[in-house]
Amino acid sequence: MIALVRMRLAAFVRGGRALAPLIAALALLGVIHGGGQSPAAPAYGYSAVMLFPVLAWQAKLVLDTEPDGQRRLARLAVGARREAAAGLLAATILGLAFCVVALLVPWWPFHAISSPEAGSAEPSLAAGIALGVLAHLLAVPAAVALGALASRAVTRTVRNGLIVLVTGSVLVVVLGLSGSVAPWLVPPVMATARALSADHLPAAGTFWLLAGWTTLWCAVAFGGYGRLRRSRS
């Protein structure tokens, strides 16, 4: 399976498909961090929100890179579960690489992260960075799950895949707004950003809730992806 992951990563990068989401991500990060300095926690929280659709799009591109015939041969060679897991693992690795870029860009070239003032109730710089890392780590698996549900192996056509990808990305924001009637239908990307924007360090229970929420949502989404993929492949 590791060889299959490497092959998919190499095909995605060498085929040039990595350029479009990379350029989009850098443009979004420039918009977020180019307006001036802000504390680390809210800056990274909304960075994770803005990058979510790009990460989902990248995951879809990774899963769609391999031709259908080659994907079926891989299933025969390593088994259906390992073949599907290899694609998801490749998408996750690239998503984490994007998150590393997102965490570094505010420091250089924008110098957009400010240190809290003495006596302020804001989280310390180290705590803000740690919260930012957590926000991106929570966004990656949910974005990969959405990209997987929008992949060609599930949706069959480019049009259907784009509809799933765009609709899912919009709903993550709309249903994630404060006062939403059904926030549990989407991963807590917006809820995480709101928690990181507070003037004080959120309680530990808040992060356990967000992590559990993300885990449960991703379990349902990946389970649906597996069932749909088996029935349509």
Side-chain angles (χ1 to χ4, degrees):
M1 187 176 76
I2 300 300
L4 187 57
V5 171
R6 290 177 178 173
M7 183 186 71
R8 287 178 172 172
L9 289 173
F12 181 72
V13 174
R14 293 177 182 175
R17 294 196 177 194
L19 289 177
L22 177 60
I23 293 171
L26 292 176
L28 287 174
L29 292 171
V31 171
I32 295 170
H33 301 298
Q37 291 191 332
S38 66
Y44 283 136
Y46 287 105
S47 166
V49 172
M50 296 291 284
L51 281 181
F52 181 85
V54 178
L55 293 173
W57 176 34
Q58 178 181 248
K60 172 178 166 53
L61 291 177
V62 172
L63 296 172
D64 288 351
T65 297
E66 194 174 41
D68 293 337
Q70 185 173 331
R71 185 177 69 248
R72 295 188 183 99
L73 289 175
R75 290 184 66 186
L76 292 174
V78 301
R81 290 186 179 180
R82 289 187 175 184
E83 184 272 327
L88 296 176
L89 182 56
T92 301
I93 290 171
L94 287 169
L96 292 174
F98 265 51
C99 288
V100 172
V101 174
L103 292 169
L104 294 177
V105 163
W107 297 96
W108 187 88
F110 294 106
H111 307 287
I113 302 299
S114 63
S115 300
E117 298 179 0
S120 172
E122 294 179 3
S124 66
L125 182 59
I129 294 173
L131 293 175
V133 172
L134 175 64
H136 286 82
L137 289 179
L138 291 178
V140 168
V144 171
L146 176 58
L149 291 172
S151 64
R152 188 177 65 249
V154 172
T155 60
R156 300 284 183 87
T157 66
V158 174
R159 181 194 62 188
N160 292 341
L162 288 175
I163 290 173
V164 171
L165 184 65
V166 173
T167 302
S169 299
V170 172
L171 288 177
V172 165
V173 175
V174 174
L175 294 180
L177 294 174
S178 181
S180 170
V181 295
W184 45 270
L185 288 176
V186 294
V189 179
M190 292 291 289
T192 303
R194 283 196 299 273
L196 268 61
S197 297
D199 294 333
H200 52 81
L201 187 66
T206 301
F207 299 115
W208 283 112
L209 175 62
L210 293 172
W213 183 351
T214 301
T215 301
L216 181 59
W217 190 90
C218 289
V220 173
F222 284 127
Y225 167 69
R227 286 191 294 272
L228 289 171
R229 206 170 187 271
R230 285 193 297 271
S231 64
R232 299 185 181 189
S233 297

